[in-house]
């Protein structure tokens, strides 16, 4: 049994904590928060132990939330820490807490690559992370791009170049103070966007360019993907790869899937908690092949796509299971769609 702690219990952290509770080879020691808000109450209602920083203990207790200890107490009790704090806080926590102890740490994509020994996407480079002390699970969009690149690479298709045009959600649903409200933002105004550089930390030596805009919606990101292969391909071969690859789902327009909102409604209807969609969503009719070129639409759920990657990163860091054994175990425990299954 591996003992795991989660530092940061926001959009990503709470989902990872719930995922750890579903693993039969992991035990959640506790979570660390700095605010005694409704999320802290929900965590305690699920039986999670709460840790915080020393000057916040009294504030938690005044709100009736029992504190188990401080963050350093949590770190010393765990084999692995998941750091799901906001961008740049993870590096600060590394210097302040993690370097003092032998605990392994999984960081998130908001941190710079230098925070870790390896940037990680399970399907792309699981083996590189085996035994590493510090692992960085890359961002939602980078995870989605890396998965699809790895799927083609591992099935013998050589990519000449990839171009991804990203329509980003303006904010997570609960981030009421963010925008845009009535605008389309160049995000960023320079090219390429950071996603191209990030993909290269996972899959080096790939010719990739990305560009992104942010729009006034909060549900999911949408990618317009262009890939040129080194040899001619067939649509049938591409679809076969997409059908059989874990963490990729194809949905058909003729079954009602013509928008992001319909994907969200599907997730609700099949009983996904928080309407989470940790898989890449490929809109099947968009998959178009012309000789060596591939075009497709792909949706990425920013709040949940990295959750299975964090679970696999824990196993990789401690060399608990081989790559595909971990991926399949994670997917089964979280109720992800299994490979070889078509939807719609």
């Amino acid at each position: 049994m591996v003992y795991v702690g989660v530092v940061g219990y926001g959009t990503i952290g709470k989902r990872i904590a719930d995922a750890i509770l579903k693993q039969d080879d992991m035990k959640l020691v506790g979570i660390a928060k700095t605010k005694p808000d409704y999320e802290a109450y929900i965590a305690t209602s699920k039986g999670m132990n709460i840790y915080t920083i020393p000057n916040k203990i009294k504030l938690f207790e005044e709100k009736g939330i029992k504190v188990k200890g401080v963050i350093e107490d949590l770190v010393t009790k765990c084999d692995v820490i998941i750091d799901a704090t906001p961008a740049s806080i993870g590096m600060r926590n590394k210097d302040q807490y993690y370097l003092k102890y032998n605990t392994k740490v999984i960081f998130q994509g908001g941190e710079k690559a230098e925070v870790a020994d390896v940037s990680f996407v399970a399907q792309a480079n699981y083996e590189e992370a085996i035994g590493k002390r510090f692992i960085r699970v890359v961002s939602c969009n980078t995870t989605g791009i890396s998965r699809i690149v790895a799927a083609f690479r591992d099935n013998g298709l050589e990519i000449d170049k990839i171009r991804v045009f990203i329509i980003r959600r303006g904010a997570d649903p609960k981030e009421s103070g963010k925008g845009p409200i009535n605008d389309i933002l160049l995000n960023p105004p320079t090219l390429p966007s950071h996603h191209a550089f990030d993909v290269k930390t996972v899959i080096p030596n790939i010719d990739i360019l990305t560009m992104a805009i942010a729009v006034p919606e909060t549900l999911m990101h949408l990618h317009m993907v262009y890939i040129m292969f080194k040899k001619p391909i067939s649509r049938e071969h591409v679809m076969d790869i997409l059908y059989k690859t874990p963490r990729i789902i194809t949905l058909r327009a003729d079954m009602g899937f013509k928008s992001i909102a319909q994907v969200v409604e599907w997730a609700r209807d099949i009983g996904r908690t928080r309407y989470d969609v940790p898989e890449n969503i490929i809109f099947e009719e968009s998959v178009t092949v012309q000789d060596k070129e591939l075009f497709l639409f792909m949706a990425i759920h920013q709040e949940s796509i990295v959750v299975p990657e964090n679970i696999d990163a824990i196993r990789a860091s401690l060399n608990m299971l081989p790559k595909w054994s971990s991926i399949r175990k994670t997917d089964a425990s979280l109720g992800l769609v299994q490979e070889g299954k078509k939807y719609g």
Side-chain angles (χ1 to χ4, degrees):
M1 187 64 67
V2 174
Y3 294 91
V4 185
V6 177
V7 176
Y9 192 74
T11 298
I12 300 298
K14 64 187 178 185
R15 287 171 165 83
I16 296 171
D18 285 350
I20 292 167
L21 292 175
K22 296 179 179 179
Q23 308 307 310
D24 60 14
D25 53 356
M26 301 178 192
K27 180 178 177 59
L28 181 66
V29 176
I31 60 110
K33 276 185 64 63
T34 58
K35 295 179 181 178
D37 54 16
Y38 74 91
E39 290 176 327
Y41 282 102
I42 292 173
T44 56
S45 74
K46 294 180 178 181
M48 298 179 189
N49 294 319
I50 305 289
Y51 294 78
T52 190
I53 56 179
N55 64 356
K56 298 288 186 177
I57 294 175
K58 185 177 179 181
L59 188 58
F60 274 81
E61 292 176 343
E62 288 174 350
K63 294 289 184 67
I65 301 173
K66 184 179 179 181
V67 174
K68 190 74 173 180
V70 296
I71 291 177
E72 285 193 72
D73 296 327
L74 178 61
V75 174
T76 59
K77 294 176 182 178
C78 293
D79 300 303
V80 181
I81 288 289
I82 302 289
D83 188 295
T85 55
S88 78
I89 303 298
M91 178 64 85
R92 193 168 72 192
N93 286 343
K94 179 181 180 181
D95 294 335
Q96 187 172 356
Y97 303 118
Y98 308 144
L99 289 174
K100 298 179 184 178
Y101 306 101
N102 293 323
T103 307
K104 297 193 174 187
V105 185
I106 314 298
F107 297 96
Q108 306 308 305
E111 301 301 318
K112 294 182 179 179
E114 292 74 23
V115 76
D117 303 313
V118 61
S119 293
F120 180 84
V121 174
Q123 286 162 260
N125 67 336
Y126 185 97
E127 291 86 354
E128 291 180 36
I130 291 175
K132 294 294 193 297
R133 182 179 177 190
F134 298 119
I135 298 173
R136 169 181 170 259
V137 172
V138 294
S139 71
C140 50
N141 286 310
T142 305
T143 295
I145 296 168
S146 298
R147 282 182 187 170
I148 199 166
V149 169
F152 293 132
R153 177 198 67 188
D154 295 345
N155 283 278
L157 296 185
E158 294 184 76
I159 293 176
D160 183 30
K161 60 183 176 181
I162 179 170
R163 306 291 185 253
V164 185
F165 310 97
I166 304 171
I167 302 172
R168 304 186 66 178
R169 72 10 174 185
D172 289 343
K174 73 171 187 176
E175 294 175 328
S176 58
K178 290 188 176 181
I181 295 174
N182 185 30
D183 200 357
I184 298 175
L185 300 181
L186 308 182
N187 192 249
T190 55
L191 300 181
S193 64
H194 76 271
H195 310 93
F197 301 109
D198 230 14
V199 169
K200 288 183 178 182
T201 67
V202 178
I203 306 174
N205 305 317
I206 185 169
D207 182 347
I208 182 170
L209 186 142
T210 56
M211 53 197 303
I213 60 173
V215 299
E217 63 91 16
T218 66
L219 299 176
M220 300 177 76
H221 304 296
L222 181 68
H223 292 194
M224 294 179 282
V225 180
Y226 167 81
I227 300 176
M228 177 175 280
F229 295 94
K230 292 188 177 180
K231 296 179 180 179
I233 55 170
S234 70
R235 187 179 189 277
E236 291 72 23
H237 191 189
V238 168
M239 294 309 304
D240 180 64
I241 291 170
L242 296 177
Y243 287 150
K244 72 182 182 181
T245 301
R247 300 181 187 173
I248 292 177
I249 303 175
T250 64
L251 298 178
R252 298 210 321 263
D254 67 1
M255 293 298 292
F257 295 103
K258 300 178 182 179
S259 74
I260 294 296
Q262 288 160 338
V263 175
V264 168
E265 189 71 3
W266 164 78
R268 290 180 178 133
D269 286 345
I270 65 172
R272 290 284 181 86
T273 302
R274 306 184 180 97
Y275 73 76
D276 284 350
V277 185
E279 303 96 339
N280 292 35
I281 297 295
I282 307 295
F283 291 93
E284 185 164 331
E285 283 88 346
S286 75
V287 179
T288 300
V289 171
Q290 296 182 355
D291 192 38
K292 299 178 183 179
E293 298 177 304
L294 169 66
F295 308 81
L296 59 84
F297 285 128
M298 178 170 71
I300 302 295
H301 185 230
Q302 72 278 0
E303 297 174 285
S304 65
I305 192 171
V306 300
V307 172
E309 309 304 317
N310 275 269
I311 300 301
D312 291 330
I314 293 170
R315 294 200 182 99
S317 71
L318 296 170
N319 198 13
M320 295 167 65
L321 286 174
K323 170 181 173 177
W324 291 110
S325 296
S326 179
I327 288 173
R328 292 189 174 99
K329 183 179 181 69
T330 299
D331 290 1
S333 70
L334 300 182
L336 272 64
V337 174
Q338 301 300 297
E339 65 264 36
K341 186 173 183 180
K342 302 178 186 180
Y343 261 78

